[in-house]
Amino acid sequence: FEIYLDGLSGIMPKMPMTYAELEERGSQALDPWLLSYVAGGAGDERTQDLNASVFDDWGLIPRILVDGAQRDLSIELCGLSLPSPLLMAPVGVIGLCAQDGHGDLAVARASARTGVPMIASTLTVDPMEDVAAQFGDTPGFFQLYTPNDRELAESLVNRAEQAGFKGIVVTLDTWIPGWRPRDLSRSNFPQLRGLVLENYFSDPIFRSRLAKPPAQDLQAAVGAWATTFGNPSLMWDDLAWFRSMTDLPLILKGIMHPEDVKQAIDGGVDAIYCSNHGGRQANGGLASLDMLPDVVEAADETPVIFDSGVRSGDHVVKALALGARAVAVGRPYVYGLALGGEDGIVHVLRSLLAEADLLMAVDGYPKIADLGPSALRRRP
Ligand code: FNR
C-alpha cells in the first residue's frame, strides 16, 4: 500500500519493481570486473539459469474462502525467532559493490532495518566485529570457508562467537574455485592483487603467519590468503572438529545429496543448507530446487535452509512449500546494494517479502504453517 499511496501523491518508486530491471540497472552500476564476478556462473551457466527457471515447473494451487486476517511469515531457526523466512546468503567481498567499499556494513545495517539476518562471508572487506556491530537486534550468522590452517579456522570461529554471531555456516562446495569463464576471460587477478580483506588481515593468527603486516606488504598478505584459503583435504572425519569448535548452531552449506544430509545430521549439525552456490561452482548439474524435496525428506526434523535462483516472492513461497524452513538470496541483494546502497538492499528485501506475503494471502495460505507439498502441483 505504501507504494500505491505514494503514487497518489505523484511519487513514483525509484528502485526497480521487477528482478529483470533490478539485474539490468544493478549490472550497470558495477565495474565490469566486479559484474563478471557477481553475475558469473560455472561453465556456460546452464545450471545457474536452471536454478531460477525450474521454479516455473511448480505452481501454487489457490484456495478460496480462507481467513486471511492473520498473516504470519515468522519462523524459528536454530533457536532464533525470526520475523520472516528470508536470509541474506554469504557473498564474499560484497564490500566492493558499494561506492565507498564498505558494502558489508551496508548489508549489516539493512539487516538491522528489515530483521533479515545477514550471513557474513569469511571474505568480508571490513572485520567481522565491525560488521556485527551494525546488526542491531537482528541475529547474524558467520560463514566459514575453512582454511588449510586449523588454528586460523579456530581463530575465525572464536572471533565470530565473541562478536555475537548466532550461528556458524560452514561452506563445503568451494574448496577450489569453479570454472567461471566470465572471471577467467576478464582475468580478475590484477584487481585481486590490491584486494583488502580486513576480516582476514585483522586476524591475529593470520597476521602471525606474515613476515610484514598487510599495510606494509599487501601483495604478500593477499598471496598468503590465497594459499591458505583452499582446503582440498577436508573430509567427513573433520565434521567432529567443526562441531568441537563451537557451541553455536552449526550449519553445513552446499548440501544437495540426501546421503550427505544424513552424514551431516549424524555428525551433530543443527541445520542443513541446500545450495549449489548459485550455479557458480559446477555446471551441468541439477538445480538446487530439484533436490530440495529429497534433502527435506532426509533431514526429517532438522531445518533446511535453501538458496540458489530465488528471484521473486513466488520463488520464496514455493521453496517454503517444498519444505525449506528459511530461504536465502544472493545476487538480488547484491544488485540492490550496487544500485542503492543500504536503502537499495532494504528495498529488495522488503519487496521480496511483500510479494511473498501477498501471494500467500491471495492464494489462501496466509501462514507459513499452511504451506506444504499439497499446496503445489508440478506442471504437466
Ligand atoms: C557467493 N556465494 C558465496 N557463498 C559462500 O558460502 N561464501 C561466499 O563468500 C560466497 N561468495 C559469493 C559471491 C558472489 C558474488 C555470489 C553471487 C555468491 C554463494 C551464495 O552464498 C549463494 O549460495 C548464492 O548466491 C545463491 O544463489 P543466487 O541467489 O545468487 O542465485
Side-chain angles (χ1 to χ4, degrees):
F1 278 115
E2 223 174 88
I3 293 174
Y4 285 123
L5 288 176
D6 278 353
L8 287 178
S9 325
I11 303 168
M12 302 310 273
K14 291 198 185 66
M15 288 292 288
M17 298 308 299
T18 64
Y19 182 73
E21 192 190 343
L22 175 70
E23 184 178 37
E24 190 189 331
R25 288 174 53 195
S27 300
Q28 286 162 3
L30 288 168
D31 272 356
W33 81 271
L34 262 180
L35 176 61
S36 65
Y37 165 66
V38 168
D44 64 2
E45 302 179 354
R46 271 168 294 135
T47 300
Q48 175 168 311
D49 294 344
L50 204 60
N51 274 337
S53 65
V54 287
F55 281 93
D56 292 335
D57 291 350
W58 296 93
L60 208 59
I61 311 163
R63 303 297 308 268
I64 54 166
L65 295 175
V66 176
D67 181 0
Q70 303 292 329
R71 278 140 62 181
D72 188 4
L73 284 182
S74 67
I75 60 158
E76 296 282 323
L77 180 68
C78 298
L80 301 166
S81 299
L82 301 174
S84 86
L86 205 59
L87 306 173
M88 284 186 273
V91 171
V93 294
I94 193 173
L96 302 184
C97 298
Q99 303 279 333
D100 64 0
H102 295 286
D104 299 290
L105 303 182
V107 178
R109 288 188 197 113
S111 168
R113 281 169 61 188
T114 55
V116 174
M118 171 186 192
I119 308 175
S121 169
T122 309
L123 305 177
T124 50
V125 172
D126 284 289
M128 65 169 104
E129 292 78 5
D130 296 1
V131 175
Q134 306 297 324
F135 284 158
D137 294 332
T138 305
F141 294 84
F142 175 70
Q143 176 264 323
L144 179 72
Y145 274 138
T146 318
N148 54 28
D149 175 337
R150 277 198 171 203
E151 247 189 295
L152 174 55
E154 284 161 13
S155 175
L156 291 165
V157 170
N158 288 340
R159 284 173 56 200
E161 284 183 354
Q162 296 295 319
F165 285 87
K166 301 292 186 233
I168 305 291
V169 174
V170 181
T171 299
L172 293 165
D173 58 9
T174 321
W175 49 275
I176 41 170
W179 178 259
R180 275 182 225 147
R182 289 205 222 193
D183 276 348
L184 294 168
S185 56
R186 284 206 169 269
S187 181
N188 284 337
F189 286 107
Q191 280 87 359
L192 291 180
R193 220 168 34 208
L195 192 63
V196 176
L197 288 171
E198 277 307 329
N199 191 42
Y200 247 79
F201 297 172
S202 62
D203 190 276
I205 298 294
F206 182 75
R207 290 177 81 92
S208 74
R209 307 290 192 248
L210 301 174
K212 286 184 190 164
Q216 282 172 32
D217 192 348
L218 183 60
Q219 281 203 36
V222 174
W225 159 70
T227 47
T228 335
F229 177 74
N231 196 342
S233 308
L234 275 183
M235 308 275 284
W236 278 112
D237 288 349
D238 293 300
L239 182 52
W241 169 58
F242 294 149
R243 190 58 286 182
S244 71
M245 267 199 286
T246 183
D247 291 329
L248 288 175
L250 179 68
I251 300 157
L252 298 192
K253 177 169 185 275
I255 295 191
M256 292 279 282
H257 199 297
E259 288 300 323
D260 289 344
V261 175
K262 294 203 171 115
Q263 295 223 51
I265 293 172
D266 287 347
V269 307
D270 299 280
I272 300 290
Y273 195 143
C274 174
S275 166
N276 66 9
H277 215 97
R280 294 165 70 77
Q281 283 299 92
N283 197 29
L286 291 161
S288 189
L289 192 78
D290 288 331
M291 289 312 295
L292 179 61
D294 301 63
V295 167
V296 166
E297 193 187 337
D300 196 19
E301 297 291 302
T302 305
V304 174
I305 300 169
F306 172 83
D307 82 16
S308 297
V310 174
R311 300 289 176 262
S312 58
D314 74 280
H315 292 179
V316 175
V317 177
K318 287 172 185 175
L320 293 172
L322 288 174
R325 179 75 59 88
V327 179
V329 285
R331 293 180 186 87
Y333 83 88
V334 184
Y335 291 129
L337 170 65
L339 200 52
E342 175 189 327
D343 289 346
I345 303 172
V346 170
H347 168 83
V348 168
L349 299 175
R350 289 187 65 205
S351 299
L352 275 168
L353 284 171
E355 190 186 0
D357 174 50
L358 271 181
L359 176 65
M360 285 166 61
V362 168
D363 270 356
Y365 304 94
K367 302 189 182 79
I368 291 181
D370 302 327
L371 289 169
S374 64
L376 288 181
R377 180 68 60 87
R378 222 181 218 288
R379 291 184 54 240

